Amino acid sequence: DHSLFLTQRERYAFLFQLNEKNYKAWAKGLKKAGYATDPEYPEKLISLIERFQLDRGQESACLLRLLAINGRSNIKAALSSCRCSIQP
């Protein structure tokens, strides 16, 4: 189950000590933990969050977790399954 992917793996445990609204730290942490093989993963994810202005409140944390847990690169698909205040 994708919803348990990060929470049940020890190598990602340090991420949950980060502020959930600190999307930059989460993006860099996912790379550090080996989640992404693309060396530009943190920058790409941060760019998406900022381009769609999701760094305004809780939406960035919501989107970042959705992208990480579900492995989605399609921002509209991620947002459509999100229960936060923004929708595509």
Side-chain angles (χ1 to χ4, degrees):
D1 181 31
H2 289 257
S3 64
L4 302 175
F5 184 80
L6 294 178
T7 58
Q8 292 190 342
R9 288 177 170 71
E10 177 117 4
R11 68 181 182 175
Y12 300 113
F14 75 95
L15 291 170
F16 294 95
Q17 295 174 8
L18 300 172
N19 182 321
E20 69 178 20
K21 292 183 180 184
N22 188 345
Y23 62 93
K24 291 180 182 180
W26 266 82
K28 292 173 185 175
L30 286 167
K31 172 67 177 139
K32 180 180 178 181
Y35 176 80
T37 57
D38 182 346
E40 296 180 20
Y41 176 81
E43 292 78 15
K44 289 178 180 179
L45 189 53
I46 291 166
S47 175
L48 278 174
I49 290 169
E50 291 175 351
R51 180 171 11 142
F52 288 92
Q53 298 181 353
L54 303 175
D55 53 340
R56 315 280 193 261
Q58 73 178 35
E59 288 83 359
S60 63
C62 181
L63 176 64
L64 183 56
R65 286 188 175 182
L66 281 169
L67 289 171
I69 292 170
N70 296 322
R72 293 184 176 158
S73 59
N74 182 326
I75 196 163
K76 286 189 178 184
L79 289 175
S80 67
S81 65
C82 179
R83 293 188 178 147
C84 62
S85 63
I86 54 171
Q87 291 299 318

PDB file of all heavy atoms in Angstrom, residues 56-77:
ATOM      1  N   ARG A  56       2.006  28.138   0.050  1.00  0.00           N
ATOM      2  CA  ARG A  56       1.153  29.040   0.819  1.00  0.00           C
ATOM      3  C   ARG A  56       0.322  28.211   1.801  1.00  0.00           C
ATOM      4  O   ARG A  56      -0.722  27.709   1.455  1.00  0.00           O
ATOM      5  CB  ARG A  56       0.200  29.816  -0.082  1.00  0.00           C
ATOM      6  CG  ARG A  56       0.819  30.403  -1.317  1.00  0.00           C
ATOM      7  CD  ARG A  56       1.558  31.692  -0.980  1.00  0.00           C
ATOM      8  NE  ARG A  56       1.902  32.426  -2.178  1.00  0.00           N
ATOM      9  CZ  ARG A  56       3.109  32.396  -2.743  1.00  0.00           C
ATOM     10  NH1 ARG A  56       4.048  31.650  -2.258  1.00  0.00           N
ATOM     11  NH2 ARG A  56       3.368  33.115  -3.807  1.00  0.00           N
ATOM     12  N   GLY A  57       0.792  28.005   2.994  1.00  0.00           N
ATOM     13  CA  GLY A  57       0.028  27.266   3.984  1.00  0.00           C
ATOM     14  C   GLY A  57       0.273  25.776   3.929  1.00  0.00           C
ATOM     15  O   GLY A  57       1.332  25.316   3.560  1.00  0.00           O
ATOM     16  N   GLN A  58      -0.736  25.003   4.284  1.00  0.00           N
ATOM     17  CA  GLN A  58      -0.574  23.567   4.422  1.00  0.00           C
ATOM     18  C   GLN A  58      -0.528  22.829   3.095  1.00  0.00           C
ATOM     19  O   GLN A  58      -0.163  21.663   3.049  1.00  0.00           O
ATOM     20  CB  GLN A  58      -1.707  22.986   5.265  1.00  0.00           C
ATOM     21  CG  GLN A  58      -3.045  22.948   4.549  1.00  0.00           C
ATOM     22  CD  GLN A  58      -4.122  22.334   5.402  1.00  0.00           C
ATOM     23  OE1 GLN A  58      -4.131  22.504   6.615  1.00  0.00           O
ATOM     24  NE2 GLN A  58      -5.029  21.629   4.796  1.00  0.00           N
ATOM     25  N   GLU A  59      -0.876  23.486   1.993  1.00  0.00           N
ATOM     26  CA  GLU A  59      -0.943  22.797   0.720  1.00  0.00           C
ATOM     27  C   GLU A  59       0.392  22.199   0.291  1.00  0.00           C
ATOM     28  O   GLU A  59       0.439  21.128  -0.288  1.00  0.00           O
ATOM     29  CB  GLU A  59      -1.473  23.721  -0.380  1.00  0.00           C
ATOM     30  CG  GLU A  59      -2.952  24.039  -0.271  1.00  0.00           C
ATOM     31  CD  GLU A  59      -3.246  25.182   0.702  1.00  0.00           C
ATOM     32  OE1 GLU A  59      -2.309  25.716   1.315  1.00  0.00           O
ATOM     33  OE2 GLU A  59      -4.428  25.515   0.851  1.00  0.00           O
ATOM     34  N   SER A  60       1.500  22.880   0.583  1.00  0.00           N
ATOM     35  CA  SER A  60       2.798  22.351   0.171  1.00  0.00           C
ATOM     36  C   SER A  60       3.102  21.037   0.867  1.00  0.00           C
ATOM     37  O   SER A  60       3.583  20.097   0.248  1.00  0.00           O
ATOM     38  CB  SER A  60       3.915  23.360   0.427  1.00  0.00           C
ATOM     39  OG  SER A  60       4.046  23.632   1.798  1.00  0.00           O
ATOM     40  N   ALA A  61       2.795  20.944   2.146  1.00  0.00           N
ATOM     41  CA  ALA A  61       3.029  19.703   2.874  1.00  0.00           C
ATOM     42  C   ALA A  61       2.137  18.596   2.328  1.00  0.00           C
ATOM     43  O   ALA A  61       2.566  17.463   2.146  1.00  0.00           O
ATOM     44  CB  ALA A  61       2.779  19.907   4.361  1.00  0.00           C
ATOM     45  N   CYS A  62       0.894  18.941   2.079  1.00  0.00           N
ATOM     46  CA  CYS A  62      -0.056  17.971   1.537  1.00  0.00           C
ATOM     47  C   CYS A  62       0.423  17.457   0.190  1.00  0.00           C
ATOM     48  O   CYS A  62       0.481  16.255  -0.047  1.00  0.00           O
ATOM     49  CB  CYS A  62      -1.422  18.632   1.415  1.00  0.00           C
ATOM     50  SG  CYS A  62      -2.710  17.557   0.789  1.00  0.00           S
ATOM     51  N   LEU A  63       0.776  18.351  -0.703  1.00  0.00           N
ATOM     52  CA  LEU A  63       1.217  17.951  -2.032  1.00  0.00           C
ATOM     53  C   LEU A  63       2.504  17.155  -1.969  1.00  0.00           C
ATOM     54  O   LEU A  63       2.641  16.120  -2.621  1.00  0.00           O
ATOM     55  CB  LEU A  63       1.420  19.171  -2.927  1.00  0.00           C
ATOM     56  CG  LEU A  63       1.974  18.841  -4.321  1.00  0.00           C
ATOM     57  CD1 LEU A  63       0.979  17.997  -5.098  1.00  0.00           C
ATOM     58  CD2 LEU A  63       2.318  20.099  -5.064  1.00  0.00           C
ATOM     59  N   LEU A  64       3.454  17.585  -1.168  1.00  0.00           N
ATOM     60  CA  LEU A  64       4.731  16.893  -1.076  1.00  0.00           C
ATOM     61  C   LEU A  64       4.533  15.465  -0.601  1.00  0.00           C
ATOM     62  O   LEU A  64       5.098  14.534  -1.153  1.00  0.00           O
ATOM     63  CB  LEU A  64       5.674  17.643  -0.139  1.00  0.00           C
ATOM     64  CG  LEU A  64       7.067  17.067   0.002  1.00  0.00           C
ATOM     65  CD1 LEU A  64       7.747  16.934  -1.348  1.00  0.00           C
ATOM     66  CD2 LEU A  64       7.896  17.922   0.915  1.00  0.00           C
ATOM     67  N   ARG A  65       3.715  15.287   0.399  1.00  0.00           N
ATOM     68  CA  ARG A  65       3.454  13.924   0.883  1.00  0.00           C
ATOM     69  C   ARG A  65       2.736  13.089  -0.171  1.00  0.00           C
ATOM     70  O   ARG A  65       3.035  11.920  -0.356  1.00  0.00           O
ATOM     71  CB  ARG A  65       2.673  13.966   2.178  1.00  0.00           C
ATOM     72  CG  ARG A  65       3.546  14.384   3.329  1.00  0.00           C
ATOM     73  CD  ARG A  65       2.841  14.253   4.629  1.00  0.00           C
ATOM     74  NE  ARG A  65       3.793  14.573   5.683  1.00  0.00           N
ATOM     75  CZ  ARG A  65       3.507  14.517   6.951  1.00  0.00           C
ATOM     76  NH1 ARG A  65       2.317  14.171   7.345  1.00  0.00           N
ATOM     77  NH2 ARG A  65       4.414  14.815   7.855  1.00  0.00           N
ATOM     78  N   LEU A  66       1.778  13.685  -0.866  1.00  0.00           N
ATOM     79  CA  LEU A  66       1.090  12.947  -1.923  1.00  0.00           C
ATOM     80  C   LEU A  66       2.061  12.507  -3.015  1.00  0.00           C
ATOM     81  O   LEU A  66       2.036  11.372  -3.464  1.00  0.00           O
ATOM     82  CB  LEU A  66      -0.016  13.796  -2.548  1.00  0.00           C
ATOM     83  CG  LEU A  66      -1.311  13.899  -1.774  1.00  0.00           C
ATOM     84  CD1 LEU A  66      -2.194  14.977  -2.381  1.00  0.00           C
ATOM     85  CD2 LEU A  66      -2.024  12.572  -1.759  1.00  0.00           C
ATOM     86  N   LEU A  67       2.925  13.416  -3.438  1.00  0.00           N
ATOM     87  CA  LEU A  67       3.888  13.083  -4.486  1.00  0.00           C
ATOM     88  C   LEU A  67       4.851  12.001  -4.016  1.00  0.00           C
ATOM     89  O   LEU A  67       5.163  11.074  -4.753  1.00  0.00           O
ATOM     90  CB  LEU A  67       4.670  14.325  -4.917  1.00  0.00           C
ATOM     91  CG  LEU A  67       3.884  15.364  -5.701  1.00  0.00           C
ATOM     92  CD1 LEU A  67       4.712  16.632  -5.867  1.00  0.00           C
ATOM     93  CD2 LEU A  67       3.459  14.833  -7.049  1.00  0.00           C
ATOM     94  N   ALA A  68       5.301  12.112  -2.790  1.00  0.00           N
ATOM     95  CA  ALA A  68       6.255  11.144  -2.266  1.00  0.00           C
ATOM     96  C   ALA A  68       5.607   9.788  -2.049  1.00  0.00           C
ATOM     97  O   ALA A  68       6.133   8.761  -2.462  1.00  0.00           O
ATOM     98  CB  ALA A  68       6.845  11.655  -0.953  1.00  0.00           C
ATOM     99  N   ILE A  69       4.454   9.775  -1.406  1.00  0.00           N
ATOM    100  CA  ILE A  69       3.814   8.518  -1.073  1.00  0.00           C
ATOM    101  C   ILE A  69       3.263   7.820  -2.308  1.00  0.00           C
ATOM    102  O   ILE A  69       3.391   6.616  -2.471  1.00  0.00           O
ATOM    103  CB  ILE A  69       2.706   8.737  -0.022  1.00  0.00           C
ATOM    104  CG1 ILE A  69       3.354   9.152   1.305  1.00  0.00           C
ATOM    105  CG2 ILE A  69       1.862   7.501   0.164  1.00  0.00           C
ATOM    106  CD1 ILE A  69       2.385   9.632   2.349  1.00  0.00           C
ATOM    107  N   ASN A  70       2.677   8.565  -3.196  1.00  0.00           N
ATOM    108  CA  ASN A  70       2.071   7.964  -4.379  1.00  0.00           C
ATOM    109  C   ASN A  70       3.011   7.890  -5.567  1.00  0.00           C
ATOM    110  O   ASN A  70       2.680   7.284  -6.568  1.00  0.00           O
ATOM    111  CB  ASN A  70       0.805   8.734  -4.776  1.00  0.00           C
ATOM    112  CG  ASN A  70      -0.257   8.640  -3.710  1.00  0.00           C
ATOM    113  OD1 ASN A  70      -0.425   7.605  -3.104  1.00  0.00           O
ATOM    114  ND2 ASN A  70      -0.947   9.728  -3.456  1.00  0.00           N
ATOM    115  N   GLY A  71       4.168   8.538  -5.483  1.00  0.00           N
ATOM    116  CA  GLY A  71       5.116   8.508  -6.581  1.00  0.00           C
ATOM    117  C   GLY A  71       4.582   9.165  -7.836  1.00  0.00           C
ATOM    118  O   GLY A  71       4.944   8.799  -8.941  1.00  0.00           O
ATOM    119  N   ARG A  72       3.731  10.147  -7.666  1.00  0.00           N
ATOM    120  CA  ARG A  72       3.121  10.793  -8.830  1.00  0.00           C
ATOM    121  C   ARG A  72       3.945  11.977  -9.284  1.00  0.00           C
ATOM    122  O   ARG A  72       4.384  12.772  -8.481  1.00  0.00           O
ATOM    123  CB  ARG A  72       1.716  11.280  -8.489  1.00  0.00           C
ATOM    124  CG  ARG A  72       0.768  10.159  -8.235  1.00  0.00           C
ATOM    125  CD  ARG A  72      -0.614  10.695  -8.002  1.00  0.00           C
ATOM    126  NE  ARG A  72      -1.523   9.592  -7.859  1.00  0.00           N
ATOM    127  CZ  ARG A  72      -2.671   9.667  -7.258  1.00  0.00           C
ATOM    128  NH1 ARG A  72      -3.073  10.794  -6.736  1.00  0.00           N
ATOM    129  NH2 ARG A  72      -3.451   8.623  -7.182  1.00  0.00           N
ATOM    130  N   SER A  73       4.121  12.083 -10.581  1.00  0.00           N
ATOM    131  CA  SER A  73       4.790  13.264 -11.110  1.00  0.00           C
ATOM    132  C   SER A  73       3.767  14.203 -11.743  1.00  0.00           C
ATOM    133  O   SER A  73       4.093  15.301 -12.134  1.00  0.00           O
ATOM    134  CB  SER A  73       5.843  12.859 -12.142  1.00  0.00           C
ATOM    135  OG  SER A  73       5.234  12.153 -13.199  1.00  0.00           O
ATOM    136  N   ASN A  74       2.526  13.768 -11.849  1.00  0.00           N
ATOM    137  CA  ASN A  74       1.467  14.574 -12.435  1.00  0.00           C
ATOM    138  C   ASN A  74       0.798  15.380 -11.325  1.00  0.00           C
ATOM    139  O   ASN A  74       0.083  14.844 -10.494  1.00  0.00           O
ATOM    140  CB  ASN A  74       0.439  13.672 -13.126  1.00  0.00           C
ATOM    141  CG  ASN A  74      -0.651  14.459 -13.801  1.00  0.00           C
ATOM    142  OD1 ASN A  74      -1.063  15.515 -13.330  1.00  0.00           O
ATOM    143  ND2 ASN A  74      -1.133  13.955 -14.905  1.00  0.00           N
ATOM    144  N   ILE A  75       1.046  16.658 -11.329  1.00  0.00           N
ATOM    145  CA  ILE A  75       0.548  17.509 -10.247  1.00  0.00           C
ATOM    146  C   ILE A  75      -0.983  17.538 -10.177  1.00  0.00           C
ATOM    147  O   ILE A  75      -1.559  17.524  -9.106  1.00  0.00           O
ATOM    148  CB  ILE A  75       1.135  18.929 -10.362  1.00  0.00           C
ATOM    149  CG1 ILE A  75       0.948  19.684  -9.058  1.00  0.00           C
ATOM    150  CG2 ILE A  75       0.553  19.699 -11.515  1.00  0.00           C
ATOM    151  CD1 ILE A  75       1.801  20.893  -8.931  1.00  0.00           C
ATOM    152  N   LYS A  76      -1.652  17.521 -11.310  1.00  0.00           N
ATOM    153  CA  LYS A  76      -3.119  17.538 -11.291  1.00  0.00           C
ATOM    154  C   LYS A  76      -3.667  16.255 -10.685  1.00  0.00           C
ATOM    155  O   LYS A  76      -4.641  16.293  -9.935  1.00  0.00           O
ATOM    156  CB  LYS A  76      -3.672  17.764 -12.691  1.00  0.00           C
ATOM    157  CG  LYS A  76      -3.503  19.192 -13.158  1.00  0.00           C
ATOM    158  CD  LYS A  76      -4.236  19.448 -14.441  1.00  0.00           C
ATOM    159  CE  LYS A  76      -4.065  20.912 -14.839  1.00  0.00           C
ATOM    160  NZ  LYS A  76      -4.830  21.254 -16.011  1.00  0.00           N
ATOM    161  N   ALA A  77      -3.046  15.125 -10.992  1.00  0.00           N
ATOM    162  CA  ALA A  77      -3.499  13.861 -10.412  1.00  0.00           C
ATOM    163  C   ALA A  77      -3.291  13.867  -8.905  1.00  0.00           C
ATOM    164  O   ALA A  77      -4.146  13.412  -8.150  1.00  0.00           O
ATOM    165  CB  ALA A  77      -2.759  12.692 -11.053  1.00  0.00           C
TER     166      ALA A  77
END
